[in-house]
Amino acid sequence: MKELADIKDVLEFYQMLGFEKLPIELKDFRKTDKINIKTVLTSNENTPIKNYHLKEEALIELRKEIGDCKRCKLSKKRLNIVFGEGNPEAKLMFIGEAPGREEDEQGRPFVGEAGMVLTRLIEKMGFKRTDVYIANIVKCRPPMNRDPEPDEIEACKVFVEKQIEIINPRVIMSLGRISTMTLSGINKLKITAIRGKFFYFKDIPVMPTFHPAYLMRNPKDKWLTWNDAQKVLNKLAEK
Ligand code: SF4
C-alpha cells in the first residue's frame, strides 16, 4: 500500500506540473526514490549539536559583519538585506541570484511566487525548507528585478562564499544562470547547456538548474529540474 501511495504522489506531482504522462520510466523513479528518503533524511541525526550552534553563531557573526552594507550601489534602493535562512548544518543548499520585491520587503529569500515553486521542489525532494539552507549571490534587490551587474556580484559574493564555507553542505543546487556563473567562474554560460551536470565549488558538488522564476514562465521545463533534483538526491545518498 505504501508503494501505491508513493506512485499516486508522483502522478499528482506531474499532473500539477501539467504533464499528461510521466516523462520518465516509473521503474527508474522508484529506484531513485528509495535512495533519497531513507539515506538523506537520517544523515543529520548523528551530527553533534555543538556543531550546529557553532555554525549558527558563525552565521550570526557574518550577518553582523555585513551590517548596513553599502559596499555596492544596490544598497541605495533596497528595503532589507536578504541574508539567507535555513539549517546551519544543511546537507543541501540552494543558491539563487538576488532578492525580488517580496523578498526585499520581508528580508527573507524565495518568499514570493518563485519561492513557492522552490518550496514545492524542496518538499518533493523529501525535505522541509527548514532542513535546507537558501541564499542568494547578492543580498540586495536589483532595481526592477534586473540581473545583478558584475561589480555588484563582485562586491557581494564574498558573503555567499562565507555562508557556503560555514554551512559546508554536501551538495549545492545553483538556481539559474547568474548563480551558476558566479559559482563556476564561467562567464557567459547558457543555463540550458550546463544544467543537469555537476561541477565543483571548492570540492562541493554543485548541480546547476533553472531558476524557479524561469520555471514559472516555462512550466514545461519543470520536469528537467526534477531530473536535476533526483541527481542531487543520488549524490546525497552516496557514502
Ligand atoms: S548587494 Fe551585497 S555588497 Fe551590495 S550593498 Fe547589498 S549586501 Fe552590500
Side-chain angles (χ1 to χ4, degrees):
M1 293 304 285
K2 166 86 172 60
E3 286 201 343
L4 277 177
D6 286 348
I7 292 166
K8 183 169 173 285
D9 197 33
V10 174
L11 290 172
E12 281 175 356
F13 176 61
Y14 277 105
Q15 190 177 40
M16 182 186 77
L17 298 182
F19 288 99
E20 291 177 354
K21 63 177 187 175
L22 286 173
I24 55 168
E25 295 273 330
L26 185 57
K27 178 163 61 82
D28 291 346
F29 175 84
R30 288 166 65 183
K31 193 169 139 219
T32 310
D33 191 47
K34 244 176 223 162
I35 296 169
N36 92 42
I37 306 298
K38 274 192 185 152
T39 317
V40 177
L41 288 185
T42 54
S43 59
N44 271 337
E45 284 176 2
N46 297 326
T47 313
I49 294 287
K50 70 174 187 178
N51 278 351
Y52 180 98
H53 290 306
L54 283 175
K55 289 181 180 204
E56 190 179 36
E57 271 176 34
L59 287 169
I60 291 168
E61 279 309 307
L62 177 62
R63 179 62 191 89
K64 282 186 197 160
E65 197 181 304
I66 295 174
D68 186 29
C69 183
K70 296 195 173 20
R71 292 169 178 86
C72 84
K73 57 187 180 296
L74 292 181
S75 61
K76 290 185 188 146
K77 299 220 167 140
R78 69 154 186 252
L79 296 176
N80 286 295
I81 290 175
V82 181
F83 178 68
E85 67 181 24
N87 181 353
E89 280 222 296
K91 304 292 177 200
L92 177 57
M93 212 170 154
F94 292 85
I95 301 181
E97 59 187 52
R101 183 176 54 82
E102 288 179 67
E103 288 78 13
D104 185 40
E105 284 170 6
Q106 294 188 39
R108 296 180 57 213
F110 285 96
V111 288
E113 281 184 65
M116 283 169 61
V117 174
L118 178 62
T119 302
R120 275 205 294 271
L121 175 68
I122 290 168
E123 290 173 353
K124 277 293 161 191
M125 291 174 78
F127 297 106
K128 299 192 286 290
R129 268 181 75 115
T130 48
D131 294 325
V132 303
Y133 198 92
I134 306 171
N136 282 304
I137 295 289
V138 299
K139 308 298 185 198
C140 302
R141 181 193 181 199
M144 310 297 289
N145 288 353
R146 64 159 169 78
D147 286 348
E149 293 173 352
D151 60 315
E152 296 157 356
I153 293 171
E154 199 52 41
C156 204
K157 72 177 184 185
V158 62
F159 301 131
V160 78
E161 287 173 356
K162 192 74 187 163
Q163 283 172 306
I164 294 169
E165 187 187 317
I166 293 167
I167 295 161
N168 193 24
R170 295 257 313 275
V171 185
I172 295 170
M173 279 190 94
S174 63
L175 305 171
R177 185 177 59 87
I178 299 284
S179 170
T180 303
M181 267 172 39
T182 306
L183 296 176
S184 68
I186 303 170
N187 290 327
K188 296 187 180 169
L189 57 76
K190 283 192 172 174
I191 191 66
T192 44
I194 199 174
R195 63 141 284 279
K197 302 179 189 90
F198 279 110
F199 65 90
Y200 284 81
F201 176 82
K202 297 183 181 172
D203 294 335
I204 300 172
V206 181
M207 171 55 67
T209 195
F210 293 120
H211 192 282
Y214 168 88
L215 294 175
M216 287 167 55
R217 297 190 301 273
N218 301 275
K220 66 177 178 14
D221 285 342
K222 282 183 178 176
W223 71 273
L224 292 172
T225 292
W226 181 236
N227 282 353
D228 301 341
Q230 289 182 71
K231 290 180 190 170
V232 167
L233 291 170
N234 281 331
K235 183 65 81 178
L236 285 167
E238 286 174 8
K239 294 277 181 194

